[in-house]
Amino acid sequence: MIVTRPPMGWNSWNTFGDRINEDVVKETARAMVDTGLRDAGYEYVVIDDCWSVHSGRDENGRLIPNPEKFPSGMKALADYIHSLGLKFGIYSCDGSHTCAGYPASFDHEFVDAEQFAEWGVDYLKYDNCWKPSMIPGRVLYNKMALALRATGRDILFSACNWGTENASEWMSSVGAHMYRSTFDIADSFESVKDLALGQIEKYTTTGYNCFNDLDMLICGMNGKGNVGISGCTMDEYTLHFALWCFLGSPLMIGCDIRNIDEETLALLKHPELIRLNQDAETRPPYIVHKNAGNCYTLFRHLENGEYAVGFFNLNDEGQTHARFESFEIGMTVGAPYVLEFTNMMTGEKQIVTEYKNYFMHPHTFELFRVKLVRK
């Protein structure tokens, strides 16, 4: 299986935690269609931890879905999701137990992969709790990759080891299609900032067929749900989404889509931001300039001879002077071209010859699609 763009979908954990069941999943899948999120590119419906029984496996060593939560079984649920033109995802772990203490896949990798394939699973999130300390993570993730491939079914392998054991150096080589490089996100701007700052200066380890995953989106949670804390302002959610799109992170919605507000829905469907995230070249950005504190000017190569420039101010107080100077991307005044900047949020165009300055308020951003234009 080859994954050419950052995966997009919905994951149950941020809102529901262990309060997941087949009605919630079906209603969410239906809402993804009715709201237009499926048509915007969100295709995976992923059940996170807590879907099985606590007591263990059956007499054949197979996992047992909780019959109270999923009375129709996983195969029927997968069939329903597929009937809507969506794909079905599930969760396990490389240790003896999942992070919430349910049976996991250590030493059962091939049995579990076959079971997932029989159910019609299209996506496996594979966590890192209760991992045997004497076995390298690369061995355990490679083993599950082998098991998934052996089924003959295309199953996206979403590794989640939180960036431990220098994962960015080997995740692509063990068959992961995306890998969680951070610990869990929470519904606060402080969490968004911490995750971004932990990865932004080493984000060159992402791209085609192995995408660096900054964790699920919190847009629209508004302090509710399983990871709800303080919530964010709409401007902060917008920066969060825009930054994840600029960096090329997978976009996995975490809010309750069944009750999503119109402003959040419009943000998650924003055509220019999704176009940026799903750019076919899948190239990572580089840091043009680190301004005062935690304010970054970023540059990224895009398809069709275009580029992106983003100013992201993660500082918490005061105004920050953010700058872009054309020579920092190799454009000198003697070049036969100037830069045409198009604001991705407003559509406004302007020509930049040598530099661009912003005095940015905390938790704000400016984002541009850029073309070279002959003088």
Side-chain angles (χ1 to χ4, degrees):
M1 181 181 183
I2 297 175
V3 179
T4 60
R5 314 284 175 97
M8 298 171 64
W10 173 86
N11 180 291
S12 64
W13 184 255
N14 280 6
T15 292
F16 296 101
D18 64 354
R19 297 177 293 107
I20 198 67
N21 59 63
E22 70 177 53
D23 288 339
V24 166
V25 177
K26 286 182 175 181
E27 290 166 6
T28 299
R30 182 78 254 173
M32 288 175 70
V33 176
D34 293 343
T35 58
L37 286 166
R38 179 197 63 185
D39 293 340
Y42 297 91
E43 60 178 341
Y44 290 99
V45 179
V46 181
I47 301 172
D48 210 284
D49 204 349
C50 309
W51 58 265
S52 71
V53 297
H54 258 121
S55 55
R57 296 169 177 264
D58 67 16
E59 63 275 10
N60 298 312
R62 291 163 65 94
L63 293 164
I64 307 169
N66 186 316
E68 295 181 2
K69 293 180 177 180
F70 300 96
S72 300
M74 291 301 184
K75 178 66 167 65
L77 182 56
D79 288 346
Y80 177 79
I81 289 171
H82 291 154
S83 75
L84 298 176
L86 296 164
K87 296 179 179 179
F88 177 53
I90 206 162
Y91 168 100
S92 191
C93 195
D94 67 357
S96 58
H97 296 81
T98 70
C99 296
Y102 292 77
S105 292
F106 175 69
D107 206 29
H108 294 84
E109 290 87 353
F110 286 91
V111 171
D112 290 355
E114 288 181 359
Q115 187 174 15
F116 296 152
E118 290 170 9
W119 285 344
V121 167
D122 306 295
Y123 177 118
L124 174 65
K125 177 181 174 182
Y126 204 51
D127 221 331
N128 195 45
C129 290
W130 299 95
K131 167 192 167 295
S133 60
M134 75 290 295
I135 303 178
R138 72 180 67 197
V139 173
L140 294 177
Y141 280 98
N142 196 62
K143 186 176 183 181
M144 181 51 86
L146 294 175
L148 294 173
R149 289 186 173 211
T151 69
R153 181 176 178 81
D154 282 344
I155 300 176
L156 188 151
F157 188 22
S158 173
C160 179
N161 90 324
W162 326 309
T164 61
E165 299 183 62
N166 298 315
S168 63
E169 298 177 3
W170 50 264
M171 271 300 186
S172 181
S173 66
V174 301
H177 298 111
M178 56 187 274
Y179 68 97
R180 263 278 300 285
S181 54
T182 68
F183 289 102
D184 289 4
I185 197 168
D187 185 20
S188 71
F189 191 79
E190 189 67 23
S191 179
V192 170
K193 181 175 71 173
D194 287 347
L195 299 192
L197 292 178
Q199 291 298 309
I200 201 167
E201 296 194 20
K202 51 185 176 182
Y203 213 77
T204 53
T205 57
T206 190
Y208 182 84
N209 216 31
C210 191
F211 296 94
N212 188 334
D213 176 17
L214 291 175
D215 205 3
M216 286 90 76
L217 298 165
I218 56 169
C219 308
M221 293 197 64
N222 301 316
K224 301 175 183 177
N226 186 50
V227 302
I229 300 182
S230 59
C232 299
T233 66
M234 192 62 210
D235 286 344
E236 290 169 341
Y237 283 136
T238 303
L239 184 152
H240 162 45
F241 185 66
L243 182 55
W244 264 228
C245 287
F246 195 101
L247 295 176
S249 175
L251 301 178
M252 302 299 292
I253 299 170
C255 70
D256 187 349
I257 297 173
R258 303 170 306 168
N259 301 306
I260 194 168
D261 63 87
E262 289 300 320
E263 196 171 10
T264 299
L265 181 60
L267 173 63
L268 294 175
K269 292 166 60 177
H270 195 288
E272 275 299 305
L273 294 180
I274 290 177
R275 179 185 170 202
L276 173 64
N277 179 262
Q278 296 291 293
D279 185 81
E281 289 209 11
T282 66
R283 294 186 187 275
Y286 80 80
I287 298 171
V288 174
H289 195 76
K290 185 177 180 183
N291 306 289
N294 295 313
C295 181
Y296 289 84
T297 305
L298 305 177
F299 176 84
R300 180 179 168 188
H301 285 254
L302 304 178
E303 60 183 315
N304 299 323
E306 296 186 326
Y307 309 92
V309 171
F311 303 83
F312 294 92
N313 186 11
L314 302 175
N315 290 324
D316 294 323
E317 55 187 40
Q319 280 195 335
T320 303
H321 177 207
R323 63 184 176 87
F324 167 86
E325 297 189 42
S326 60
F327 76 85
E328 293 178 304
I329 65 165
M331 290 289 292
T332 61
V333 290
Y337 295 92
V338 292
L339 302 173
E340 180 185 78
F341 275 49
T342 302
N343 190 304
M344 291 192 193
M345 307 306 288
T346 67
E348 178 185 357
K349 295 180 183 292
Q350 63 183 118
I351 296 297
V352 175
T353 55
E354 295 183 50
Y355 62 87
K356 193 170 183 64
N357 288 318
Y358 280 100
F359 289 92
M360 303 183 69
H361 292 290
H363 305 179
T364 60
F365 73 98
E366 297 286 344
L367 192 53
F368 302 89
R369 185 170 290 271
V370 179
K371 295 181 180 180
L372 300 184
V373 178
R374 278 197 174 274
K375 290 181 178 177

